[in-house]
Amino acid sequence: MKLALITGTSKGIGLETALKFGRAGYKVFATMRNPEKASAFKQKIETESLDVTISKMDVDSDASVKQCMDDIIQKHGSVDVLVNNAGIERHGSIEEMPMDDFQAIMNTNYLGVLRCTKALLSQMRKNKRGCIINVASVAGHISNSPLGGYAASKHALEAISEALAQEVKPFNVKVAIIEPGIINTQMAKDIAVDGKSIYPQSKRFSGLFTASLKTPTSPTLVADKILEVAENKNWKLRHPVGPDAEPFIAWRASMSDEQWVDWNAANDEDWYKSVEQDFGLNAR
């Protein structure tokens, strides 16, 4: 039986991924900061008789990651699949967002992935097998205000994943990047709340996310892709997920940097008209 370790499983994509792997016959360690709050998850595991163990781990903490990883390896042996899903979102203009928020985003979304990866990497390398799947975002390609801080963390995750893939492929360890678009998660719902900024982009993007969530994309779609990537034999690095993911990436790639800046810096009327024309969304 293969063993999968999945981070950030208290809700959303992580929870659905843990269930997906459990239903596929994996022995799953579903990690989160506060297992005591996962009563509904525990009930589902019991009802479906899944081999899923909820473990306490805070990816922000070196000590917490080491303790959890060492315990799993000592008791159960090698990990076959690591899904680095744990992530947080903070949004706001560069001027208005506190430094603590920038640091928190990078600590979880980037350094947290490194902590978990480094804890298992030597084992995978020595065994000459393993799969590391990092959940990034379309924001790993595209940077918009008020998501500058979040996009920076996902750009960093994309870059380190690409470098890691080069290092470990000779040891038969696969690295893949999952790039969801706007998914119906609490994170997306939080962005849809207008944060009342002195900059117009905050209100605009809350409207864009609100409009997109009217036809929501389930996190199960992302979980399906993660399991597919873990089980297939190809070495494709990047995997956009969701109906808007590839179109957004292609749309940005079609513009020069200057056109992109101008689009985001446009006045409200021109920006809203453009969103309606290009994506069929009323973000007002």
Side-chain angles (χ1 to χ4, degrees), residues 156-174:
L157 179 54
E158 294 259 351
I160 205 71
S161 300
E162 189 170 304
L164 179 64
Q166 300 161 31
E167 294 172 356
V168 299
K169 186 172 184 180
F171 299 97
N172 195 39
V173 176
K174 180 167 75 173

Side-chain angles (χ1 to χ4, degrees), residues 128-245:
K128 292 195 181 301
R129 74 174 192 275
C131 180
I132 299 168
I133 301 174
N134 293 335
V135 180
S137 170
V138 166
H141 291 271
I142 299 172
S143 186
N144 296 82
S145 176
L147 297 175
Y150 178 77
S153 72
K154 295 301 185 178
H155 275 66
L157 179 54
E158 294 259 351
I160 205 71
S161 300
E162 189 170 304
L164 179 64
Q166 300 161 31
E167 294 172 356
V168 299
K169 186 172 184 180
F171 299 97
N172 195 39
V173 176
K174 180 167 75 173
V175 175
I177 307 167
I178 305 296
E179 301 169 332
I182 299 176
I183 306 297
N184 187 25
T185 62
Q186 188 58 51
M187 187 180 292
K189 292 172 184 174
D190 289 343
I191 296 170
V193 176
D194 182 9
K196 303 299 181 186
S197 169
I198 60 174
Y199 292 90
Q201 287 87 357
S202 180
K203 182 178 181 181
R204 291 175 182 177
F205 259 68
S206 71
L208 179 64
F209 271 70
T210 298
S212 179
L213 290 171
K214 287 179 180 177
T215 52
T217 299
S218 171
T220 58
L221 187 70
V222 186
D224 289 342
K225 176 58 71 174
I226 293 171
L227 179 62
E228 176 192 319
V229 168
E231 301 215 305
N232 68 33
K233 301 299 182 184
N234 73 54
W235 291 75
K236 182 180 177 184
L237 180 62
R238 289 182 166 88
H239 303 265
V241 186
D244 59 6

